[in-house]
Amino acid sequence: MTAHGTVGTAEPEEPATAGVDAGHDDAGLDVTGLTVAYPRAARPALDDVSARVPPGEALLVVGLSGSGKSTLLGALAGVLGHTLDAQVHGTALVAGVDVTAGGPLDAARVAALVQQDPIAQTCLDTVRAEVELVLENHAVPAARIPAAAAEALADAHAAGLADRRTAELSGGELQRVALAAALAGRPRVLLADEPTAMLDPRAAREVGALVGHVAAGGTTTVVVEHRLDTLAPLPARTLVLSDGRVLACGPTPDVLAEHGARLAAGGCWVPTRTLLATAGAPGPLGTPATDDWLRDLADRRGTQPETPDPYRPGARRRRPDGGFALHARGLRVRRTRRAGGPWSRARRVDVVHGVDLSLPRGRVLGVVGANGSGKSTLLRGLAGLEPTGGSVRAGRTALAVQHPEQGFLCRTVADELAYGPRRAGLADTDVEAAVAAALRRFGLDGLADRSPYRLSGGQQRRLSLAAAVGGDPDVVLADEPTFGLDRAGTLDTAAILRAEADDGAGVVVVSHDLELLGRVADHVLVLHDGRPLGTGPAEDVLADGELLDAAGLERGPLLERWAGWPRPRPSLRRLLTGLDAAVAAAARSGLPDRTGAPA
Amino acid sequence: MSARPAGTTATAPGPRGSALARWNPTVKLGTLLLAGAAVMLVTDPVTPTVLWVAAVLAALTLGRVPAGTVARAQLALAAFSVSVFSANLLLRHDGDVLAVVGPVEVTSGALAVATSFAARTLYLGTVSVLLLTTTDPVRLMVSLHQHARLPAPTTYAVLAAHRMVELLPAEWHAIRCAQAVRDPRRTPGSPLPRSPRALGAATFGLLVAAVRRAERATVALESRGLGAGPRTVAHPVPLRAGDVVAGAGALVLVGAVVLAGWWGGWLAGPAALTPG
């Protein structure tokens, strides 16, 4: 615990016991010496974790990918060692209930869980049934159930969804329903595991605000979240995990002030405010001094060409004759749909219409749009995987899919990387060299003999991208390549995509992360309901608030500030990469860290 | 907020608003199972044909199943039915020789049994379609919990699995696309590969995906307290005397068709399967 608060905290340090039932009826959280080991894992996922959350308070859990955040929530929900195989030692008291011993059904009496995947955690056909199930399980008298379900849906801003089928809902709508189902049982403790991770920016902000609101209310809440700018307000307390151990735990402003720099430099997502402070900004975003500092940051990177010239001689290994990597005119992509179950007539529907694209080699095209706007279908059409109309001319095309597991074909990571080169007819020695190079470049060394299905989420994503770019394709299509990655993984991916373009490929990136596109994209195409709503140079599109708004998209605080500056604005890419460089420099030159906490 | 059963609207058009949809699902399931079992020992062509026609009429009128849906189901069933018919026609030898096709003699006994089995296939298939199109899955499971004493964790696991099965075709397609695009020798626009190797890899991927989804659904159901102890039912499915009377009535009709065959002399039992 960090006891010395340097920044004023909104809440008193320990509001704790006052006004709350004492003893075992305590509605807080008490974790002591919690160690969790998964079968066949080299080291425990959680190692001697202890933490306390006073009743009614909220705890934010942050850390790098693989630091044990989701494992902690799984243990608190009682599923580890019960529903899912794991060795669990130590105790976790959730509102006085020992969930490590009692398992998920004991935990369910006092706690509710919202998971990351909106589709997989939805169990029933209709929204109403989904919420009522919880009330039935809590033995709420039948007569009171309809009103209680309506109330829970209203609390989650989902009252209008009550009569809908769950199969028709968007990810953001499903997460609101999941939150309603969680709140319906009036839990004393709410556990939320990256509830906004799979949502588009606007849905993420809405769900983040809902969870933030619940956390700020009387329900004890534990939230694991990457996207800290969307979670508003931030929970009062923060726990930092690193390699399964507690690095820090205390009031959020104190923890961020003392460890934010280390977290940001280590590759963790932190609020924009903390990121700026780490990079050495003179004040918070929006102050004139910080504006000047940011402009200066963008200018300092001015020595580099802003975008590599696609026709620059020697820039490309692939196809030195230059020209277009991808060319599409009036592209339509069709999908087969059955509206009324397996006996209904199969209909081919145009999911994407009227897309014109010209992607020169060496350029990166970003594609944005709300969930369901047809982005993934467009990529499949460009890869020649779905029936298309209009014309597409493309060189050899590789696609890194949104869910990496779907594309795996082999038993080991090395075989996975060798698959493409082997199919392309390379000699064995060349295949081996290609695999070794890919293992090194994508940080997969030491994992060559591992099954692809047993990798962490971040490792799977790197493997998927490595396999896609392995054969030096002319066109690289990447579908949400930074989904679920920490900041370090996101920046690495951005660098790889940019490097592929600099190497002569045409790159198309679908992403919800507008800052990522600010870093890598030359052009941006905005899709809405399967139709192009706008297209243009990346900075023009990202500065066009009306266009983004019409597509159901929102900028984060940093982009919003940049877009609000009068023209001529400094280059967004140089601003973002300059900020990244300043954070990295802060890491190298010793951190503004006053605690000397162990790394 | 009304007390009507989940997923069913009294005034809804189509099968989910029909008389068959309002029928207590447990009684309906039991009745249709018995009505299907009634023909298991019947081998004459007339009895299953009459029952099949009755089932189609019931689907169109009592079930308000759209004619197009009924027709498409019949077409799908016909494919299976034809193969059952041909196999029995060619492999059986009993009674008068009606025709000689190459090395095979078509006999009257074989024709009767083959027609009977083909009609039985259509009948059982139509009954299944009738059940699936007019039954709300949630209502069926609630009713099985209430009236057949099936434990709640079982019924809701079935419902979650049902939802998951609905998602599998999309998952299967996504996996086949994701795997196909890995092949550098693939021509864009060519159909997805159907080689045993490709389908095997996709099947394994689907299995992994299904296990992952099942894991998350289990965590979701358990963390929502399913199976934790005594529970209530938000929308109890009524079991009225009329439901049972309707079931008995349907079974009497089926019995009457079988009896009519016995009375008229065309009913044949399993004895017809063993020549001699």
Side-chain angles (χ1 to χ4, degrees):
Chain A
M1 292 268 176
T2 50
H4 51 290
T6 48
V7 182
T9 59
E11 309 280 327
E13 175 80 348
E14 296 281 343
T17 46
V20 181
D21 307 340
H24 281 293
D25 215 19
D26 188 337
L29 215 80
D30 200 345
V31 178
T32 318
L34 189 65
T35 299
V36 178
Y38 291 111
R40 291 182 295 277
R43 56 172 189 82
L46 281 185
D47 193 358
D48 195 23
V49 168
S50 298
R52 244 191 115 243
V53 183
E57 278 223 27
L59 179 73
L60 170 69
V61 184
V62 296
L64 291 174
S65 300
S67 59
K69 305 185 295 293
S70 293
T71 301
L72 177 60
L73 274 205
L76 293 178
V79 295
L80 295 179
H82 294 270
T83 314
L84 306 178
D85 198 9
Q87 290 278 336
V88 181
H89 299 285
T91 56
L93 293 179
V94 175
V97 174
D98 183 356
V99 294
T100 43
L105 298 183
D106 271 5
R109 291 193 287 119
V110 289
L113 173 69
V114 176
Q115 301 182 72
Q116 186 185 104
D117 186 340
I119 293 174
Q121 71 177 316
T122 306
C123 303
L124 299 177
D125 213 24
T126 64
V127 170
R128 200 186 296 279
E130 185 81 11
V131 177
E132 287 176 345
L133 170 66
V134 180
L135 296 159
E136 293 174 329
N137 293 338
H138 282 79
V140 173
R144 291 213 334 251
I145 287 179
E151 199 181 322
L153 283 164
D155 286 346
H157 295 191
L161 304 175
D163 292 310
R164 301 275 297 276
R165 277 175 50 88
T166 51
E168 302 164 350
L169 300 188
S170 72
E173 290 170 330
L174 283 175
Q175 284 306 67
R176 299 215 297 273
V177 172
L179 189 63
L183 296 177
R186 301 206 167 277
R188 293 161 147 228
V189 179
L190 175 70
L191 308 169
D193 188 2
E194 295 196 44
T196 72
M198 300 177 112
L199 308 181
D200 62 47
R202 178 170 291 175
R205 186 180 52 77
E206 287 165 0
V207 171
L210 276 170
V211 173
H213 177 74
V214 173
T219 312
T220 309
T221 307
V222 182
V223 194
V224 171
E225 189 55 275
H226 267 320
R227 298 160 82 164
L228 299 180
D229 285 328
T230 63
L231 190 63
L234 278 179
R237 304 174 81 82
T238 294
L239 171 80
V240 183
L241 283 177
S242 170
D243 284 334
R245 293 178 152 271
V246 176
L247 192 67
C249 184
T252 299
D254 296 0
V255 170
L256 288 179
E258 288 168 23
H259 300 275
R262 181 186 304 281
L263 289 171
C268 209
W269 291 113
V270 293
T272 301
R273 191 166 15 126
T274 309
L275 190 74
L276 289 172
T278 304
L285 194 63
T287 55
T290 302
D291 279 358
D292 290 344
W293 179 82
L294 283 169
R295 286 172 187 279
D296 184 48
L297 205 60
D299 290 339
R300 252 184 282 158
R301 301 276 297 176
T303 47
Q304 276 186 16
E306 186 184 330
T307 51
D309 178 3
Y311 304 108
R312 182 160 50 101
R316 303 167 298 274
R317 275 193 287 133
R318 295 161 215 183
R319 286 274 301 276
D321 55 335
F324 285 96
L326 181 65
H327 199 83
R329 277 285 165 271
L331 177 68
R332 301 190 307 277
V333 188
R334 297 191 193 115
R335 295 286 302 275
T336 305
R337 292 253 168 98
R338 284 175 202 275
W343 292 283
S344 64
R345 197 145 48 98
R347 254 176 241 177
R348 284 217 160 156
V349 196
D350 283 352
V351 178
V352 173
H353 326 246
V355 174
D356 297 327
L357 287 179
S358 291
L359 180 63
R361 291 172 170 281
R363 292 287 173 145
V364 179
L365 170 72
V367 181
V368 295
N371 279 340
S373 58
K375 304 184 298 294
S376 297
T377 307
L378 171 67
L379 284 197
R380 281 192 201 159
L382 292 175
L385 291 163
E386 303 279 5
T388 54
S391 79
V392 191
R393 277 184 289 128
R396 278 184 311 111
T397 302
L399 167 65
V401 292
Q402 191 172 346
H403 304 286
E405 275 193 347
Q406 292 179 336
F408 293 151
L409 289 160
C410 306
R411 284 164 185 270
T412 67
V413 169
D415 283 348
E416 206 65 65
L417 291 169
Y419 174 83
R422 263 190 206 132
R423 289 284 296 169
L426 262 62
D428 281 355
T429 50
D430 294 340
V431 172
E432 274 171 38
V435 170
L439 287 171
R440 254 196 325 280
R441 183 181 178 199
F442 287 87
L444 297 166
D445 275 321
L447 301 171
D449 296 324
R450 197 78 82 80
S451 160
Y453 292 102
R454 300 198 71 87
L455 300 178
S456 74
Q459 289 164 343
Q460 286 190 335
R461 214 158 263 295
R462 292 207 294 276
L463 174 60
S464 165
L465 193 58
V469 304
D472 289 341
D474 301 303
V475 182
V476 177
L477 309 172
D479 195 353
E480 295 288 359
T482 61
F483 237 29
L485 294 184
D486 49 35
R487 188 166 182 276
T490 301
L491 294 185
D492 287 349
T493 305
I496 284 163
L497 293 172
R498 197 62 239 177
E500 284 301 305
D502 292 347
D503 198 32
V507 178
V508 183
V509 189
V510 162
S511 183
H512 284 149
D513 183 346
L514 300 183
E515 281 191 22
L516 173 77
L517 297 181
R519 282 189 181 87
V520 303
D522 301 298
H523 260 70
V524 170
L525 167 70
V526 182
L527 274 187
H528 183 59
D529 275 343
R531 291 178 189 281
L533 198 65
T535 182
E539 304 207 340
D540 293 356
V541 172
L542 293 175
D544 189 342
E546 278 177 31
L547 174 62
L548 295 176
D549 190 52
L553 296 168
E554 286 177 10
R555 290 179 289 237
L558 194 59
L559 256 60
E560 198 62 44
R561 186 70 201 161
W562 166 83
W565 286 342
R567 290 164 187 273
R569 295 183 199 94
S571 149
L572 177 62
R573 182 181 299 167
R574 276 185 275 159
L575 189 149
L576 291 170
T577 49
L579 191 58
D580 297 341
V583 171
R588 277 194 304 275
S589 68
L591 299 162
D593 183 353
R594 290 149 295 166
T595 59
Chain B
M1 301 298 123
S2 71
R4 82 174 105 87
T8 308
T9 316
T11 53
R16 292 283 162 92
S18 66
L20 284 182
R22 289 192 297 274
W23 197 4
N24 178 291
T26 300
V27 177
K28 173 161 61 172
L29 180 68
T31 305
L32 294 184
L33 278 175
L34 285 174
V39 295
M40 291 323 277
L41 297 177
V42 170
T43 58
D44 71 84
V46 180
T47 310
T49 306
V50 172
L51 289 173
W52 168 48
V53 171
V56 169
L57 290 177
L60 291 171
T61 55
L62 296 173
R64 281 202 253 155
V65 183
T69 304
V70 174
R72 268 189 297 280
Q74 300 306 314
L75 275 179
L77 292 168
F80 186 46
S81 174
V82 164
S83 67
V84 168
F85 177 80
S86 329
N88 280 284
L89 189 66
L90 299 178
L91 297 177
R92 289 186 184 283
H93 198 274
D94 177 27
D96 306 331
V97 175
L98 301 174
V100 180
V101 185
V104 180
E105 290 179 339
V106 174
T107 58
S108 60
L111 182 65
V113 171
T115 311
S116 172
F117 284 7
R120 182 202 290 180
T121 305
L122 291 169
Y123 167 59
L124 294 179
T126 306
V127 167
S128 310
V129 170
L130 186 65
L131 182 68
L132 290 173
T133 48
T134 62
T135 308
D136 175 65
V138 175
R139 202 166 173 257
L140 171 64
M141 288 300 148
V142 169
S143 170
L144 284 175
H145 174 55
Q146 276 181 269
H147 306 125
R149 308 246 176 276
L150 212 60
T154 312
T155 54
Y156 281 94
V158 169
L159 284 174
H162 174 263
R163 200 185 111 77
M164 219 161 73
V165 167
E166 283 185 341
L167 298 171
L168 285 185
E171 185 92 36
W172 172 249
H173 180 68
I175 289 171
R176 288 183 68 204
C177 285
Q179 295 187 340
V181 80
R182 296 276 314 276
D183 186 351
R185 287 195 285 186
R186 174 174 188 278
T187 324
S190 59
L192 296 174
R194 289 174 176 275
S195 71
R197 197 191 139 92
L199 293 178
T203 306
F204 185 75
L206 189 68
L207 200 67
V208 171
V211 168
R212 297 252 196 266
R213 274 189 200 276
E215 210 170 82
R216 292 191 193 118
T218 310
V219 168
L221 284 173
E222 286 190 336
S223 68
R224 287 171 190 181
L226 182 65
R231 66 193 303 279
T232 49
V233 176
H235 305 288
V237 177
L239 176 58
R240 300 188 187 93
D243 292 313
V244 181
V245 169
L251 290 178
V252 164
L253 273 176
V254 172
V257 171
V258 175
L259 269 179
W262 177 68
W263 203 264
W266 62 75
L267 184 76
L273 300 180
T274 45

